[in-house]
């Protein structure tokens, strides 16, 4: 079960959590070591040596089992290659013709199918979506939702609950006025899939097959992920312990098969087929059989409609695609995360080059560096310039600022010592010394499974002067809170007594989270909550977040069920 992994609640994977991972499989298809046999040998046509070497370094650094790569060059040639292993236990390599689940890159397929319907006069992008789908289980107190809002993740709806909830009386609720802010929303694209099916008069998978895959000659790709494609799909991997926040050397096991037909991420494709898709994007909507969408609709597709800093500083979102600039060129890009695949697509509209990369494991990251470096290499080739050096890859074990964290932290009935030895960081707790790996910023994970239930997160005080770095003053591990001598605030913060009935582990059968109390606040899966009603809380990750938690059925002083944005999760006793 995926119930216990500490998770960031706004993550963009559909089924599982994060950290990083992998190894060689032992008997029973279970990863038993972190000696992944990555080499620069690849299947397919020749890849520029500097790029092949970077892919090898990247896979070693990220402990990736295998990777598929598709590229469109400035002269129109295409490359499809596989690196590393598909089936680690059997030592079988990744081949370019293998299917990989592309996740949220599928959203751009949905957007283009709907833009075709706009061209045909079937769809007004700015008409209320309830005019087309009056049965939608949504409440819109902050304003009308249109197709434009759904395509740009600005509808105000929560991210990832299923469209049809277990209680037919429940409705998905907005958190803000549509069009005023970006909040990534898989639910919105599930709705768009139903919209496309309704307008076209056939199931969404048939819409995708006819309007996108067949139209572009993507003969191997599938518009739905089922067991039927298993023989053609790369073997893929998930965490052996999905209840822990393990580091990059965490163990993997073979992933169970997935059935997924939601328009938010239902496409499985190959590196070669993805080059056909990217050729169409580079041609600004023109496919091998004529225009896929009109010039006007493609302009709408690639317009930066709303700021989307979740995709990086300065990034915006178009229709089902992120819109950005790189070295002065307009870039269309997206990532995709499924339960056991992670993908990246980068399309340089001005440079005439594009790249797609996908890894056959979900390790909490996307192979953006590979796709971006492929663009740089192809642009250098086209401009007859030297191939640039690839970016340096971070080593989570090397903590450049380790000295900032060292010291003794006290609180919650005990103390924790943090040691810095050069660029290595350790935490000493319960008499045991455990090495830490950085995940991001001031957040770390332990290398000992006994201390991986939560991340180790440091907090900072106030900088001595503008522009200076604030000192580290706090440390949290789940519900435990510690402070050092530089901390100036209150050392005890009481939470309402009734909050204790909400603490615990909650599971839906496919994923879940732990609720703890820290610094007087409820924290669910690493996200701090604020109370907005009786037993009703909202995520504080962003202003006006539509992500809510409602604690129900208090029995013998313990909450038995939580509705997370309308989706039920039940208490797991004994954890």
């Amino acid at each position: 079960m995926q119930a216990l992994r500490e998770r960031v609640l706004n993550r963009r994977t559909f089924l599982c959590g994060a950290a990083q991972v992998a190894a060689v499989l032992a008997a029973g298809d279970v990863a038993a070591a972190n000696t992944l046999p990555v080499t620069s040998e690849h299947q397919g046509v020749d890849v520029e040596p500097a790029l092949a070497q970077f892919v090898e370094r990247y896979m070693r650094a990220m402990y990736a089992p295998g990777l598929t790569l598709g590229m469109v060059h400035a002269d129109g040639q295409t490359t499809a290659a596989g690196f590393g292993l598909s089936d680690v236990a059997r030592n079988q390599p990744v081949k370019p013709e293998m299917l990989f689940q592309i996740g949220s890159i599928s959203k751009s397929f949905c957007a283009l199918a709907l833009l075709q319907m706009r061209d045909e006069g079937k769809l007004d992008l700015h008409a209320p979506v309830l005019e087309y789908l009056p049965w939608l289980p949504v409440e819109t107190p902050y304003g009308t939702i249109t197709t434009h809002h759904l395509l740009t993740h600005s509808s105000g709806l929560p991210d990832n609950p299923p469209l049809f909830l277990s209680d037919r009386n429940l409705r998905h609720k907005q958190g803000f006025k549509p069009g005023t802010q970006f909040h990534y929303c898989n639910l919105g694209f599930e709705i768009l899939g139903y919209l496309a099916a309704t307008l076209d008069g056939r199931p969404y998978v048939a819409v995708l097959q006819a309007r996108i895959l067949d139209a572009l000659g993507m003969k191997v790709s599938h518009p739905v992920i089922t067991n039927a494609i298993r023989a053609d799909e790369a073997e893929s991997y998930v965490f052996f312990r999905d209840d822990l926040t393990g580091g990059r050397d965490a163990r993997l096991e073979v992933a169970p098969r997935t059935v997924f037909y939601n328009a938010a991420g239902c496409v499985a494709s190959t590196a070669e087929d993805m080059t056909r898709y990217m050729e169409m994007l580079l041609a600004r909507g023109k496919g091998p059989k004529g225009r896929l969408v009109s010039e006007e609709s493609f302009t709408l597709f690639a317009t930066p409609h709303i700021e989307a800093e979740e995709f990086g500083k300065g990034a915006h979102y178009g229709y089902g695609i992120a819109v950005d600039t790189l070295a002065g060129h307009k870039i269309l890009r997206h990532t995709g995360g499924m339960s056991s695949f992670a993908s990246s697509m980068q399309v340089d509209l001005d440079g005439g080059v594009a790249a797609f990369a996908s890894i056959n494991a979900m390790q909490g990251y996307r192979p953006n560096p590979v796709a971006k470096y492929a663009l740089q290499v192809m642009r250098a080739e086209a401009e007859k310039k030297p191939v640039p050096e690839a970016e340096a890859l971070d080593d989570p074990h090397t903590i450049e600022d380790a000295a900032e964290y060292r010291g003794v932290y006290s609180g919650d009935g005990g103390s924790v010592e943090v040691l810095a030895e050069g660029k290595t960081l350790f935490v000493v707790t319960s008499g045991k010394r455990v090495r830490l790996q950085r995940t991001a910023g001031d957040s770390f994970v332990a290398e000992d499974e006994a201390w991986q239930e939560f991340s180790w997160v440091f907090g900072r005080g106030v900088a001595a002067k503008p522009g200076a770095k604030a000192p580290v003053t706090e440390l949290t591990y789940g519900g435990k809170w510690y402070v050092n001598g530089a901390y100036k605030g209150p050392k005890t913060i009481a939470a309402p007594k009734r909050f204790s009935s909400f603490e615990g582990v909650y599971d839906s059968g496919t994923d879940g989270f732990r609720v703890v109390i820290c610094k007087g606040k409820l924290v669910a899966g690493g996200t701090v909550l604020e109370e907005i009603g009786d037993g009703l809380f909202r995520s504080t990750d962003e202003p006006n977040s539509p992500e809510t938690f409602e604690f129900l059925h208090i029995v013998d002083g313990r909450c038995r069920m939580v509705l997370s944005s309308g989706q039920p999760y039940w208490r797991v006793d004994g954890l």
Side-chain angles (χ1 to χ4, degrees):
M1 89 177 169
Q2 295 169 348
L4 308 185
R5 169 170 295 282
E6 180 191 14
R7 61 176 189 154
V8 178
L9 293 170
N10 66 355
R11 75 177 49 191
R12 302 305 162 223
T13 56
F14 289 114
L15 302 175
C16 79
Q20 350 250 349
V21 70
V24 178
L25 296 186
D29 287 341
V30 175
N34 61 351
T35 53
L36 189 67
V38 176
T39 75
S40 60
E41 294 180 5
H42 54 276
Q43 304 289 315
V45 301
D46 288 340
V47 174
E48 206 284 332
L51 177 58
Q53 291 167 13
F54 176 71
V55 171
E56 177 187 359
R57 287 197 294 114
Y58 182 79
M59 292 176 68
R60 286 187 183 279
M62 308 308 287
Y63 292 86
L67 181 145
T68 194
L69 177 66
M71 298 185 291
V72 181
H73 302 260
D75 60 5
Q77 294 186 4
T78 62
T79 296
F83 296 79
L85 299 175
S86 165
D87 191 324
V88 180
R90 296 171 179 81
N91 200 37
Q92 293 180 350
V94 171
K95 297 180 180 179
E97 62 269 22
M98 287 179 170
L99 289 169
F100 279 61
Q101 297 172 20
I102 69 172
S104 288
I105 298 172
S106 305
K107 290 179 170 66
S108 60
F109 290 50
C110 180
L112 289 166
L114 287 167
L115 286 167
Q116 287 181 351
M117 297 178 202
R118 172 194 177 273
D119 290 338
E120 296 162 5
K122 296 179 179 179
L123 174 64
D124 180 348
L125 297 173
H126 298 284
V129 72
L130 284 169
E131 289 185 4
Y132 299 105
L133 304 175
W135 51 263
L136 276 180
V138 298
E139 293 180 5
T140 59
Y142 292 98
T144 299
I145 296 173
T146 67
T147 302
H148 169 85
H149 295 138
L150 295 172
L151 286 168
T152 56
H153 299 289
S154 62
S155 66
L157 293 175
D159 170 20
N160 211 21
L163 176 56
F164 300 106
L165 298 169
S166 57
D167 183 344
R168 65 182 179 181
N169 296 312
L170 289 174
R171 296 290 184 269
H172 296 289
K173 299 176 182 179
Q174 288 174 311
F176 55 84
K177 181 179 179 181
T180 59
Q181 68 186 68
F182 180 90
H183 180 82
Y184 199 92
C185 185
N186 285 305
L187 170 63
F189 272 81
E190 184 177 1
I191 293 171
L192 290 173
Y194 282 98
L195 174 62
T198 297
L199 295 176
D200 222 30
R202 50 183 167 175
Y204 179 68
V205 294
V207 173
L208 267 191
Q209 185 69 55
R211 288 184 173 270
I212 305 296
L213 304 184
D214 291 347
L216 297 179
M218 300 175 69
K219 297 180 180 179
V220 186
S221 299
H222 285 261
V224 61
I225 296 166
T226 68
N227 284 333
I229 71 173
R230 179 171 184 170
D232 299 320
E233 194 176 66
E235 192 68 272
S236 59
Y237 301 90
V238 295
F239 289 107
F240 177 67
R241 287 287 305 270
D242 67 359
D243 58 328
L244 302 177
T245 56
R248 289 186 184 177
D249 54 355
R251 295 179 291 172
L252 290 182
E253 66 178 355
V254 173
R257 290 296 138 180
T258 301
V259 174
F260 202 86
Y261 47 87
N262 185 326
C266 59
V267 175
S269 191
T270 67
E272 185 175 359
D273 270 4
M274 287 302 294
T275 64
R276 293 187 173 94
Y277 184 68
M278 294 186 295
E279 284 180 305
M280 177 274 298
L281 295 179
L282 288 171
R284 290 172 164 78
K286 186 177 180 181
K289 301 177 183 179
R291 294 206 66 86
L292 193 75
V293 294
S294 67
E295 292 184 24
E296 183 181 21
S297 283
F298 188 82
T299 297
L300 289 171
F301 173 78
T303 293
H305 293 291
I306 191 166
E307 188 175 1
E309 285 209 358
E310 184 174 316
F311 281 80
K313 188 174 182 180
H316 289 72
Y317 207 82
Y319 283 167
I321 197 81
V323 184
D324 206 350
T325 58
L326 178 66
H329 286 206
K330 187 173 186 178
I331 305 293
L332 301 182
R333 62 184 177 91
H334 217 290
T335 61
M338 296 297 285
S339 61
S340 55
F341 291 90
S343 306
S344 173
M345 181 180 73
Q346 301 262 344
V347 180
D348 184 343
L349 289 180
D350 296 324
V353 295
F356 163 80
S358 186
I359 288 172
N360 58 335
M362 169 43 65
Q363 301 157 272
Y365 64 87
R366 311 293 188 268
N368 278 318
V370 172
K372 288 173 67 176
Y373 188 54
L375 292 191
Q376 292 178 289
V377 169
M378 289 187 287
R379 280 178 58 173
E381 290 175 341
E383 297 167 3
K384 300 189 184 321
K385 295 180 179 179
V387 174
E389 289 189 11
E391 66 178 67
L393 297 173
D394 74 294
D395 179 356
H397 306 89
T398 302
I399 315 300
E400 296 289 343
D401 54 353
E404 295 183 16
Y405 301 98
R406 66 185 173 194
V408 176
Y409 298 76
S410 302
D412 285 338
S415 64
V416 172
E417 184 177 8
V418 177
L419 304 176
E421 296 181 2
K423 297 178 181 179
T424 304
L425 201 61
F426 299 89
V427 61
V428 180
T429 181
S430 299
K432 189 167 185 177
R433 171 172 146 144
V434 180
R435 187 176 179 180
L436 298 180
Q437 295 179 19
R438 173 172 264 143
T439 52
D442 293 321
S443 183
F444 299 80
V445 296
E447 293 188 352
D448 186 329
E449 285 188 356
W451 297 99
Q452 290 179 353
E453 186 176 5
F454 305 100
S455 293
W456 295 83
V457 182
F458 293 88
R460 293 179 180 270
V462 179
K465 57 182 179 180
K469 200 170 184 180
V472 175
T473 59
E474 304 175 65
L475 173 61
T476 60
Y477 178 75
K480 295 184 179 298
W481 173 42
Y482 308 91
V483 300
N484 62 19
Y487 177 77
K488 303 299 183 185
K491 295 184 178 180
T492 57
I493 302 176
K497 289 185 178 180
R498 55 196 175 80
F499 281 15
S500 63
S501 66
F502 303 149
E503 287 189 294
V505 172
Y506 299 87
D507 179 62
S508 70
T510 57
D511 71 327
F513 50 88
R514 181 183 287 275
V515 175
V516 298
I517 298 172
C518 187
K519 296 181 64 175
K521 298 279 189 178
L522 279 186
V523 182
T527 297
V528 179
L529 307 182
E530 66 172 340
E531 192 166 17
I532 57 175
D534 185 15
L536 180 63
F537 294 76
R538 177 172 61 191
S539 166
T540 60
D541 275 355
E542 62 183 274
N544 309 309
S545 173
E547 308 298 340
T548 58
F549 294 79
E550 187 172 9
F551 293 85
L552 302 172
H553 306 301
I554 309 300
V555 178
D556 295 330
R558 290 287 181 267
C559 173
R560 308 309 303 182
M561 187 179 79
V562 176
L563 289 180
S564 175
S565 296
Q567 184 176 2
Y569 290 78
W570 291 270
R571 174 182 290 276
V572 180
D573 285 326
L575 294 176

